[in-house]
Amino acid sequence: MKIATCVSRDKLLTLGVCFGRFSKTGKFRLHITALDYVSQYAKYKVWVKTNGEMPFMYGNHILKAHMSRITEDTPENQGVVVYSMSDVPLGFGVTARSSADLKKVDPTGIVVLHQSDAGEYLREEQSLI
């Protein structure tokens, strides 16, 4: 922030961390740039096995076969932070099933719907500004 005071106001474009943007319909969509801040306070978390990290990082949903564990009593359609097995935050998602319903799901069933992942830094670096 101190460096930004050296730049005139008409030349300064942005300052700080972009947490997200509003869509055309008025809904707020979190960007991956907010992951470090949101992951500290996340109530619901999902841990992914190592064989499921890369598919998630490429923008695919998390299957039951790729999920290692989930926070107890996670409801359906709830926002979650996705972690690797070494507790590194990978991205955001929305649960497709509650944690109680996961016992009934087959291994190829979708458990977490992909919202955003750390691979977005590379895929959409031009539009994240």
Side-chain angles (χ1 to χ4, degrees):
M1 295 250 295
K2 290 183 181 182
I3 296 172
T5 59
C6 299
V7 179
S8 65
R9 288 183 184 240
D10 59 330
K11 304 270 186 202
L12 185 65
L13 292 176
T14 60
L15 173 70
V17 177
C18 177
F19 271 70
R21 289 190 178 162
F22 287 97
S23 67
K24 292 179 181 178
T25 59
K27 295 182 180 179
F28 186 75
R29 182 158 169 92
L30 276 176
H31 275 204
I32 193 62
T33 52
L35 180 63
D36 293 333
Y37 300 97
V38 174
S39 64
Q40 296 174 11
Y41 305 106
K43 185 175 180 181
Y44 300 110
K45 303 174 184 180
V46 172
W47 286 266
V48 178
K49 295 178 184 175
T50 53
N51 63 345
E53 287 180 22
M54 288 310 290
F56 181 74
M57 296 295 274
Y58 285 124
N60 297 321
H61 303 306
I62 297 175
L63 306 177
K64 185 182 177 190
H66 294 158
M67 189 187 72
S68 173
R69 60 185 182 177
I70 189 169
T71 308
E72 288 288 323
D73 301 327
T74 303
E76 189 174 348
N77 299 323
Q78 180 66 45
V80 293
V81 175
V82 179
Y83 287 90
S84 67
M85 290 302 294
S86 56
D87 285 333
V88 175
L90 300 176
F92 310 118
V94 175
T95 55
R97 311 280 177 136
S98 66
S99 57
D101 293 341
L102 289 179
K103 296 173 186 138
K104 304 172 197 167
V105 178
D106 61 327
T108 59
I110 295 174
V111 176
V112 177
L113 301 171
H114 178 272
Q115 286 267 308
S116 183
D117 62 80
E120 254 181 63
Y121 279 123
L122 300 174
R123 290 193 309 269
E124 299 178 18
E125 66 182 311
Q126 294 298 325
S127 64
L128 283 178
I129 295 175

